[in-house]
Amino acid sequence: MASIVFAVLLAILLNSVKEGVLIKMQENVVSFYSGAIQVHKNGYWDEKTLDNSIAYSDSLITQLVNHEEVNVAIGRLESYALAASEKYTKVCMVVGIEPENETLVTSLDKKVIAGDYIRSEDESVLLSEGLAEYLKLTVGDTLVIIGQGYHGVSAAGKYPIKGVIKFASPQLNKTMVYLPMKLAQQLFDATNRLTALVLDIDDVSDADRIEKELTLTTSDEYEVMGWKVLLPELNQVLEGERAENVIFLFVLYMLIAFGIFGTVLMMTIERQYEFGVLIAIGMRNLKLSSVVVLENIMISVLGAIAGTMLSIPMIGYFYKFPIRISGDLEKAYENFGFEPIFYFSIAPKIFYSQTIVIFCIALVLSLYPLLKIARLKPVSAMRT
């Protein structure tokens, strides 16, 4: 029973941290910036220019939010530009946002680590922490933005930095500049225009289904895209990691199976004399095999339940207090674009799936004593 308890505990622990890291990675990129679903002008995704922007439309927004699973639709105006300080320059993503509505989708105001969050009437910007460090700028300094606006006009402006924000995603943290929507439209000479409408939904896993439903009801003038299309690299990473996790768990299950089998083997060999005596005094092999199998089932059930119950407070603690990596390993994770924190998942599937798998392994291994007893010869067994 103890071998099954530790097997279940180990499988749940490792699967929880693996899935927790992947889910958090998805949330960091999907929920913190791109959103689960976006609506653009048809063709914008193939050629991301301001010339392929859409005019602000109350009727389109109303149509989108009328879907029962869409909470809100927010507008954005996005373009790449050159950010500059007195001595340094760097390419950045300039994003015009509706400050009050943006907080409903991405909680951008909670990411401010210095200064204050911008408002719709402000003529100042938010700068991501990594970009601010590179440009040697801080709150109160002036940021210069140089780029190309709508229909090829020149876009240039100087803006005070009102706040510095920090993203969990290292990549986003090095490139983002946020302006109030009116200020961004003025900078790019794109009055009343948007490059995207970002939709907020309750469950990111439903994005594919909602995307298909909105595509059927939205005009052909627009394209509706879920996060898997918006972020194909992220989707590939997640799928690759989950496929790798299956292989890893298979190897883990093999090790667990050998560990449990060693216990079952020992239990069977140690009791060969008793088995021989029982058969010699008239107990049928089939009945004795049934008793041993029932014994293994009881041990497996109790071990699986105990392992699951032990894992719940442990996973709950690490879910609330995730493990942060430090030192050189932290820098290595950030260089690869991963947040250097081990998050844990508390999805119910993690608990019952591992319990069921370990329970099934234990039941399959119980076939060994069944076959051993079925071929047992009393005289030979009592001589051991």
Side-chain angles (χ1 to χ4, degrees):
M1 191 187 299
S3 67
I4 295 173
V5 168
F6 285 109
V8 170
L9 187 62
L10 180 62
I12 291 177
L13 188 66
L14 293 178
N15 204 48
S16 174
V17 67
K18 187 73 173 181
E19 191 63 23
V21 169
L22 294 181
I23 291 174
K24 198 65 179 180
M25 185 193 306
Q26 176 180 304
E27 289 179 353
N28 284 348
V29 182
V30 175
S31 300
F32 287 3
Y33 178 68
S34 72
I37 302 173
Q38 289 190 12
V39 179
H40 319 110
K41 179 181 179 181
N42 199 3
Y44 171 80
W45 200 247
D46 295 326
E47 189 177 357
K48 300 182 184 68
T49 67
L50 292 173
D51 293 344
N52 285 331
S53 58
I54 58 177
Y56 182 88
S57 172
D58 286 326
S59 60
L60 174 60
I61 293 176
T62 302
Q63 180 184 353
L64 293 172
V65 297
N66 278 342
H67 191 287
E68 58 182 6
E69 294 180 78
V70 175
N71 299 323
V72 66
I74 62 171
R76 283 189 187 154
L77 185 67
E78 304 174 350
S79 183
Y80 283 99
L82 190 67
S85 60
E86 185 177 357
K87 297 181 179 180
Y88 302 95
T89 60
K90 189 175 183 180
V91 174
C92 66
M93 169 69 83
V94 178
V95 185
I97 60 171
E98 303 165 356
E100 291 75 21
N101 290 335
E102 186 73 27
T103 61
L104 302 176
V105 178
T106 61
S107 300
L108 188 63
D109 57 330
K110 296 180 180 179
K111 299 177 179 63
V112 176
I113 60 171
D116 298 307
Y117 186 63
I118 55 176
R119 300 182 179 275
S120 298
E121 64 275 9
D122 287 343
E123 295 189 358
S124 52
V125 302
L126 290 176
L127 197 61
S128 60
E129 181 190 37
L131 184 59
E133 290 178 353
Y134 180 86
L135 297 175
K136 308 299 181 185
L137 295 174
T138 187
V139 175
D141 291 339
T142 299
L143 175 72
V144 177
I145 299 176
I146 303 172
Q148 181 173 305
Y150 186 54
H151 285 335
V153 301
S154 297
K158 295 192 299 181
Y159 306 99
I161 300 172
K162 186 175 183 179
V164 176
I165 54 177
K166 182 177 181 179
F167 286 98
S169 168
Q171 186 61 34
L172 292 178
N173 208 40
K174 297 175 182 177
T175 59
M176 304 304 295
V177 177
Y178 286 93
L179 287 76
M181 180 62 73
K182 290 182 179 179
L183 192 62
Q185 290 173 339
Q186 179 183 347
L187 169 66
F188 294 115
D189 196 22
T191 305
N192 207 39
R193 302 199 69 83
L194 307 171
T195 54
L197 286 168
V198 181
L199 310 185
D200 177 54
I201 61 177
D202 292 327
D203 192 345
V204 176
S205 61
D206 294 331
D208 289 343
R209 175 178 55 81
I210 298 174
E211 173 197 345
K212 293 176 182 177
E213 293 173 358
L214 291 175
T215 300
L216 295 175
T217 59
T218 306
S219 169
D220 293 339
E221 180 184 354
Y222 306 104
E223 56 188 12
V224 183
M225 292 184 172
W227 69 269
K228 291 183 180 179
V229 179
L230 296 170
L231 304 167
E233 298 85 1
L234 174 63
N235 188 40
Q236 289 174 3
V237 168
L238 294 177
E239 289 182 351
E241 289 291 332
R242 289 194 168 101
E244 179 184 314
N245 194 33
V246 171
I247 298 173
F248 177 78
L249 285 176
F250 176 76
V251 174
L252 176 63
Y253 292 147
M254 291 292 293
L255 295 174
I256 290 172
F258 278 111
I260 297 175
F261 179 69
T263 305
V264 172
L265 180 64
M266 180 185 66
M267 290 169 58
T268 305
I269 293 175
E270 283 184 342
R271 295 186 293 176
Q272 279 195 87
Y273 178 81
E274 288 80 2
F275 292 157
V277 171
L278 289 172
I279 294 173
I281 63 176
M283 190 174 190
R284 294 180 181 179
N285 292 56
L286 180 61
K287 187 173 183 179
L288 181 57
S289 299
S290 300
V291 171
V292 175
V293 170
L294 285 174
E295 177 190 59
N296 285 332
I297 290 175
M298 292 176 64
I299 291 174
S300 300
V301 169
L302 293 174
I305 293 175
T308 303
M309 296 304 294
L310 283 174
S311 70
I312 290 175
M314 184 180 296
I315 299 300
Y317 174 82
F318 286 121
Y319 176 77
K320 189 174 182 179
F321 303 102
I323 301 172
R324 184 170 187 88
I325 305 171
S326 59
D328 293 337
L329 191 57
E330 177 183 7
K331 296 179 181 178
Y333 266 70
E334 290 183 342
N335 289 336
F336 282 102
F338 297 108
E339 189 178 5
I341 299 177
F342 284 160
Y343 291 96
F344 287 72
S345 173
I346 56 172
K349 181 181 178 181
I350 292 174
F351 295 93
Y352 69 74
S353 63
Q354 306 309 314
T355 303
I356 291 172
V357 170
I358 302 300
F359 174 69
C360 291
I361 290 174
L363 287 184
V364 171
L365 294 176
S366 69
L367 293 175
Y368 171 77
L370 189 150
L371 297 174
K372 187 74 174 177
I373 293 170
R375 295 182 297 176
L376 189 70
K377 296 180 180 181
V379 177
S380 299
M382 287 187 291
R383 286 177 179 172
T384 57

